[in-house]
Amino acid sequence: MICGRRLCTRSNRGATLCCRCGLAFCSEACFIAEWHGEHSSACPCADAIRSAVEARRRDGFAERRGAATLAAVALSRAPPSGPPAAERVAAPDAAAAGRTMSED
């Protein structure tokens, strides 16, 4: 598995963390960089992730701040069950047309 960050130079290393949408990343740093770059608008789980981060802050459970809270809410070591990430994450050119990569 390779890292979901487009500019990752460590992609030969096995990806160990998965976003809620199923896209794999080699580290929290790669996830955070990609989230702020493009993934936050392409991820089908972005609204749920933002809501969970805000709920942690509001309820006082955000013991970690900013990027660390985002990573704690969005990432897990095991991929989510369901269709592969390629079917859930819209391709950049397909996003404008409202299609996913599997529909191309």
Side-chain angles (χ1 to χ4, degrees), residues 83-98:
E87 294 178 13
R88 289 190 298 258
V89 179
D93 58 347

Side-chain angles (χ1 to χ4, degrees), residues 29-97:
C30 276
F31 169 74
I32 297 300
E34 187 64 18
W35 178 264
H36 291 296
E38 187 174 307
H39 191 62
S40 63
S41 60
C43 180
C45 301
D47 291 335
I49 292 169
R50 286 187 197 103
S51 296
V53 168
E54 187 56 39
R56 276 193 165 198
R57 289 181 183 154
R58 184 179 54 247
D59 295 341
F61 292 111
E63 65 283 348
R64 298 164 23 169
R65 300 181 120 185
T69 300
L70 174 62
V73 166
L75 297 175
S76 67
R77 296 237 177 248
S81 59
E87 294 178 13
R88 289 190 298 258
V89 179
D93 58 347

